[in-house]
Amino acid sequence: MSPRPTRSPRLLVLSTVLLALAGIALLSMSHNQQPPTPVPAPPAAATKEPSSIAAMPPARRPPAAGAPAPTARQASTPSAIESALPSHGDGLAGDRAVQRNLETAWPADLPAADERELLLAGRALLRADATGLGRTRWPDVFPDTGQPVAPAFATTGFRIQAAIARRDGSPTKAVVHLVWAGTDRGGSYTDLRITDWHFTRTPRKKGATTWTPLPRT
């Protein structure tokens, strides 16, 4: 069974963010390689900023008369460069950048204990869905059809590159975003795959609650 594509708006936003971060980094590096263009100083008689400049945010105002032009090092944007996505096939070395991009795009908004529980379940669900291992743990998600299921991806080479757990519109709902790599039945290896698993909080005995995964639609 091949993992079914997620059609949630969050998945589309996740894909957009990953692509946008890579584009920002490339533009930043291209811009930083260009030498700074000298700006002519205004006439000495101009002692007051024009109203159009005064209304601009300080970070976007042009330098004052006589102020040194920013150097290439000062104009660089390390955060944009560091957030660049790794190239396909970078392996474990690039996974840290993927994780960092996810955490930057969606700041944490769940208690630490809930996030740990959701991440453990989300990772196990993805592995079960892709490779077929451990599906009996979630009969509601992977119902027994009485027929053998051929895994869509091989266990060898399967790797979860990054994962985050966040609220999904309310305190009783959550979603686990996962970026992963694997080799399909045709022998094609692809990384930076994206999958979402949605959960709802359900009561247990003695007033406790747990996170229950929702079946894929």
Side-chain angles (χ1 to χ4, degrees):
M1 176 186 292
S2 175
R4 290 181 287 274
T6 302
R7 298 181 179 179
S8 67
R10 282 179 175 269
L11 180 57
L12 296 177
V13 173
L14 174 60
S15 303
T16 303
V17 168
L18 293 176
L19 292 174
L21 288 172
I24 291 173
L26 291 175
L27 289 174
S28 300
M29 289 187 290
S30 175
H31 174 73
N32 293 336
Q33 290 174 356
Q34 299 177 359
T37 303
V39 179
T47 58
K48 299 176 67 177
E49 291 180 327
S51 59
S52 60
I53 296 178
M56 294 172 63
R60 298 182 59 184
R61 296 183 186 180
T71 64
R73 179 178 296 274
Q74 292 171 335
S76 64
T77 54
S79 60
I81 297 174
E82 291 173 358
S83 68
L85 287 176
S87 301
H88 285 283
D90 272 3
L92 295 174
D95 291 354
R96 288 190 297 272
V98 180
Q99 181 69 39
R100 183 169 59 246
N101 286 334
L102 286 181
E103 294 173 351
T104 300
W106 284 288
D109 57 4
L110 284 167
D114 287 340
E115 186 171 4
R116 285 194 298 269
E117 178 183 349
L118 286 162
L119 287 175
L120 286 173
R123 289 172 178 270
L125 280 163
L126 175 58
R127 181 178 293 275
D129 191 30
T131 68
L133 296 178
R135 291 189 177 186
T136 56
R137 178 180 171 186
W138 295 282
D140 293 335
V141 179
F142 306 108
D144 184 6
T145 62
Q147 300 293 330
V149 177
F153 291 85
T155 55
T156 303
F158 175 84
R159 185 175 89 257
I160 297 176
Q161 299 178 264
I164 59 171
R166 299 294 184 261
R167 287 185 179 180
D168 190 20
S170 76
T172 60
K173 294 181 179 181
V175 59
V176 177
H177 302 288
L178 301 116
V179 182
W180 56 286
T183 303
D184 61 25
R185 285 195 295 262
S188 298
Y189 175 85
T190 307
D191 56 1
L192 297 180
R193 294 175 178 269
I194 300 172
T195 296
D196 281 355
W197 282 99
H198 295 267
F199 294 77
T200 184
R201 190 190 294 273
T202 56
R204 292 194 303 185
K205 295 180 180 180
K206 298 181 180 180
T209 60
T210 188
W211 289 102
T212 301
L214 300 177
R216 303 290 292 274
T217 57

